[in-house]
Amino acid sequence: MTDRDASTMQFVDAGVTSLVEAPRDILERGLRSEQVVNQAGASQATFFRKFRTKSEFIEAVITSLTESTLHSADKVKQTVRAQLAANDDALRPTVTTLVKEAFDAIVNDASTARSLLSHIFAGSHRRTSTALENEYRRRDELVSAAYEALFEKTDATLRRPFTTKTFAVTVNAVIDGFRIRSRIDSRSVSPDMMSDALLAILGAVVDMSGLHQHLDDVVGPIDQPAETRPLPRDPRAAFLAAARSEFGKRGYFMTQINDIADTAAVPRVAANKLFPTKPHILVAALQSRVDSLRETVADDILIGLGDVAIIENFLLRCAQLASDETEFMDALLVAVAHDTYGEPESLLSLKEKLNIPSIIAPIVQRGQDNGAMSTISAPMDIAAGITNTLLLRCFTRRSDSPADNAAFVGAMVLNGLAHP
C-alpha cells in the first residue's frame, strides 16, 4: 500500500463507514470494493493504485479502527487544573464540568462503534490487539494524570489495595460501560449520572485522612453490627451544627436530612421528629437571629432614630447576619426563591417565621405617611425589594465586608441613581 495520503484515507474512511453504518450488508455481501469506491466518490482505478489487493485494503481499514485521537497527559493536567481554579478547588463542580465537556465525545455513536469493531477484530488480528493494548495504556495514563491534577494540592492517597494503575483501569471500565449502554439506551445515560458515578468511585477509593487506609475501612463485613455512637447531649444543637456543614458543602437541594442526622450522630427517627423538612431546619437555625434583628429595629424606634437611619442600621445588621450565617442564609434564599410545589406548607412557614422584610415595612409606611419616602409601591413591597437587593448583593459579593455591602445598597435605594 502507498503512503496514507488524503485519497487513501478517503477509501479507508469509506470502508470504516460501511462497517459502522451497515454491518448487516457486510455480513450478507461482504465489503465490496465497488461499494467503497461509490462511498468515497472515486474510481476503481484509483482504488487499486492505492491498494494492490483487497486484503491490503481490509488490513488498512482494521488498522484505522484503533488509531488514537487522545490528548497528551500534560494537556489533561492543564485542563483539570484550569477547571479546579475556576471552581475554587471544589471537587464536585470540577468533575461535573469535565464530564459535561467530554460527554458528547465519550458517547459518540460512531466512535463507540469503531471501538467495538476493533475489539471484535483484535481476536484474530495481532496488530489490532497490540494497538488496543497501547490505547488502553494511554487512556490509563490520562486518567492517572487527571487524578494527580485533581489532588496534587492535598495529601490524598488511594486506599489499599487500589493503586494508580488499578484505579485508572476501573475508571476506564466504567466509562466504557456508559459508552456501550448509551449506544442502545441513550436516555438512561447522562452527564450527571456519569459524573456522579465517578465521584462515588473517588469518594470510596481516595483517602483524604492521611492514614493510608484500606478499602475495608470504608466497606466493612456485612454481618458486622453497626457502630453505635452515643446520642449527643444536645441533639438539636448537634444536628444544626451538622446541617450548617452539609448545606455549605452540598447546597440546599442536595442536602438530605438523613445525611445530616448521620453526621450529627442523631438517630434518623429522632431527627425527622425534630425537623420534618429542610425548611424546619432553616427556621430553627435562623429564628433567633431574625427575632434579634426585629428587636434592634424596635429599639431604634424607641430611642427616636429617624426613618433613614433605622433603615441604614437594618441593612448593616442584615448584611452581618448574611455573613455570620452564610450557609443557612444561602439555603434560605434558594428555598424561598424556588417554587417548591412539594412543600407548600413548609414554604409558607419560612415566609411567615423568617419574614425579614416585614421588620422594616412599618418604617417604610411611616416614611410614606410623613412624605419622606416614595409611594411608588406598598410598604411591604418596598421593604421586600430593599431586603432582597441587600441579600443578593451579599450572596454575590462575598469578598466585600457587610458594611460595604450595606453602604452600597443603602446609597442606591435611599439616595437613588439620579443626580440631585
Side-chain angles (χ1 to χ4, degrees):
M1 189 181 84
T2 62
D3 291 337
R4 296 177 66 175
D5 53 22
S7 58
T8 300
M9 285 307 304
Q10 194 173 4
F11 289 119
V12 171
D13 290 342
V16 171
T17 299
S18 297
L19 284 174
V20 170
E21 295 182 355
R24 183 181 180 89
D25 292 344
I26 302 300
L27 285 175
E28 290 180 349
R29 295 187 290 273
L31 184 58
R32 297 175 295 117
S33 61
E34 295 88 347
Q35 178 183 354
V36 172
V37 168
N38 289 336
Q39 180 85 20
S43 66
Q44 285 278 7
T46 304
F47 177 85
F48 284 109
R49 280 200 302 270
K50 300 298 181 181
F51 308 98
R52 292 188 297 268
T53 64
K54 186 176 179 180
S55 295
E56 188 176 285
F57 169 68
I58 291 175
E59 176 77 15
V61 169
I62 294 174
T63 299
S64 75
L65 292 173
T66 57
E67 290 180 341
S68 178
T69 58
L70 297 175
H71 292 302
S72 68
D74 287 341
K75 175 64 174 176
V76 168
K77 287 183 178 180
Q78 290 173 8
T79 302
V80 172
R81 287 166 181 155
Q83 283 301 333
L84 274 172
N87 289 290
D88 297 325
D89 291 332
L91 182 62
R92 169 175 277 278
T94 297
V95 172
T96 300
T97 302
L98 290 170
V99 170
K100 285 182 178 179
E101 289 183 349
F103 186 76
D104 288 342
I106 290 173
V107 300
N108 179 270
D109 274 353
S111 65
T112 302
R114 289 173 70 107
S115 177
L116 293 173
L117 285 169
S118 66
H119 281 74
I120 292 171
F121 286 116
S124 57
H125 193 262
R126 180 58 188 168
R127 183 184 297 180
T128 301
S129 179
T130 300
L132 280 176
E133 290 175 6
N134 292 334
E135 177 83 352
Y136 274 125
R137 192 174 297 111
R138 287 192 292 270
R139 286 178 58 189
D140 291 344
E141 290 172 355
L142 298 186
V143 171
S144 298
Y147 167 78
E148 291 173 11
L150 276 174
F151 297 102
E152 62 187 352
K153 296 180 181 179
T154 72
D155 295 326
T157 58
L158 291 170
R159 285 190 171 92
R160 293 173 287 116
F162 272 92
T163 64
T164 304
K165 171 65 177 176
T166 57
F167 170 76
V169 170
T170 300
V171 170
N172 275 318
V174 170
I175 292 174
D176 282 345
F178 277 120
R179 293 182 73 194
I180 295 171
R181 178 66 178 266
S182 178
R183 182 168 168 79
I184 303 301
D185 183 17
S186 60
R187 290 177 298 179
S188 67
V189 178
S190 67
D192 287 339
M193 175 182 285
M194 188 178 293
S195 60
D196 285 346
L198 295 178
L199 285 163
I201 294 173
L202 289 171
V205 173
V206 178
D207 175 18
M208 302 293 290
S209 69
L211 301 177
H212 304 287
Q213 293 179 318
H214 194 281
L215 193 63
D216 292 346
D217 296 323
V218 180
V219 184
I222 60 174
D223 58 347
Q224 179 176 321
E227 178 185 0
T228 56
R229 292 183 289 173
L231 183 69
R233 186 177 298 275
D234 187 343
R236 178 178 289 269
F239 187 93
L240 290 176
R244 182 190 298 277
S245 175
E246 290 294 311
F247 280 131
K249 289 189 297 185
R250 308 182 194 284
Y252 180 76
F253 290 112
M254 294 299 294
T255 295
Q256 302 298 321
I257 292 178
N258 285 342
D259 293 339
I260 300 173
D262 294 344
T263 301
V266 175
R268 292 183 176 186
V269 173
N272 281 275
K273 288 180 179 178
L274 291 172
F275 305 101
T277 66
K278 285 184 281 188
H280 284 82
I281 300 172
L282 298 180
V283 170
L286 296 171
Q287 184 73 75
S288 63
R289 293 296 301 265
V290 173
D291 289 345
S292 177
L293 187 61
R294 191 180 302 276
E295 290 172 0
T296 60
V297 171
D299 289 344
D300 286 348
I301 295 173
L302 190 63
I303 63 177
L305 290 185
D307 296 338
V308 171
I310 292 175
I311 292 177
E312 288 176 337
N313 285 346
F314 166 82
L315 290 173
L316 177 57
R317 292 160 182 158
C318 192
Q320 190 63 55
L321 169 61
S323 177
D324 294 343
E325 303 290 348
T326 299
E327 299 85 357
F328 289 125
M329 289 298 289
D330 284 356
L332 175 64
L333 287 176
V334 173
V336 173
H338 191 270
D339 191 6
T340 316
Y341 292 108
E343 298 176 334
E345 295 180 0
S346 298
L347 189 62
L348 181 64
S349 173
L350 278 180
K351 290 183 175 180
E352 287 182 349
K353 293 183 177 297
L354 302 177
N355 193 345
I356 298 176
S358 69
I359 296 174
I360 57 165
I363 308 303
V364 176
Q365 175 73 68
R366 192 170 72 176
Q368 290 180 334
D369 291 344
N370 61 31
M373 292 187 184
S374 170
T375 57
I376 189 174
S377 187
M380 189 61 194
D381 288 341
I382 294 175
I386 294 172
T387 305
N388 294 340
T389 301
L390 174 71
L391 292 178
L392 182 60
R393 171 80 179 186
C394 295
F395 185 85
T396 56
R397 300 294 290 268
R398 300 183 191 276
S399 60
D400 291 359
S401 70
D404 288 341
N405 283 329
F408 176 86
V409 174
M412 183 173 66
V413 301
L414 295 175
N415 300 332
L417 300 178
H419 286 294

